[in-house]
Amino acid sequence: QVQLVESGGGLVQAGGSLRLSCAASGSIFINPMGWYRQAPGKQRELVATATSGGSTNYADSVKGRFTIFRDNAKNTVYLQMNSLKPEDTAVYYCNAATRDYDVWGKGTLVTVSS
């Protein structure tokens, strides 16, 4: 079993920063681990992923502003979000890929005001 618990969402002004965290429980190997987001009326989209070896992948819309990193010892992945824009407003979901299936967190809301 793998369960994901997200935290760190909130309300910020444009240009501000937030750090999201996602802690995974369970002993199953997870690779990659990442963040997705979904705005109201929009499809869920990939934000960033990270492998246990340190490789990262970012959506073009967040490159240079967001940073994803993992603490493998703590089974936790983080998303540092800087220079936030109103269009970043969405529910952010943690995702963990096991060998056989993906596991999703319940989501944490990020709201960026103008």
Side-chain angles (χ1 to χ4, degrees):
Q1 302 183 48
V2 176
Q3 293 185 345
L4 305 176
V5 179
E6 302 125 321
S7 63
L11 173 65
V12 297
Q13 295 183 0
S17 299
L18 284 174
R19 177 178 289 189
L20 306 182
S21 64
C22 173
S25 63
S27 300
I28 300 175
F29 181 68
I30 301 170
N31 210 30
M33 201 169 182
W35 291 93
Y36 292 69
R37 67 186 182 186
Q38 186 169 24
K42 301 292 183 65
Q43 293 184 322
R44 188 172 299 186
E45 64 179 358
L46 182 146
V47 178
T49 61
T51 69
S52 61
S55 297
T56 58
N57 182 50
Y58 296 92
D60 288 341
S61 60
V62 306
K63 287 181 179 177
R65 300 189 298 121
F66 292 9
T67 302
I68 186 170
F69 55 100
R70 294 176 63 165
D71 185 335
N72 292 326
K74 297 180 179 179
N75 290 322
T76 301
V77 65
Y78 304 89
L79 184 68
Q80 178 66 45
M81 304 184 294
N82 298 326
S83 301
L84 283 162
K85 304 175 180 179
E87 52 262 44
D88 295 318
T89 295
V91 176
Y92 284 69
Y93 297 92
C94 183
N95 172 263
T98 71
R99 184 184 184 279
D100 301 316
Y101 54 86
D102 284 357
V103 181
W104 293 90
K106 296 183 67 175
T108 184
L109 178 63
V110 173
T111 303
V112 184
S113 64
S114 301

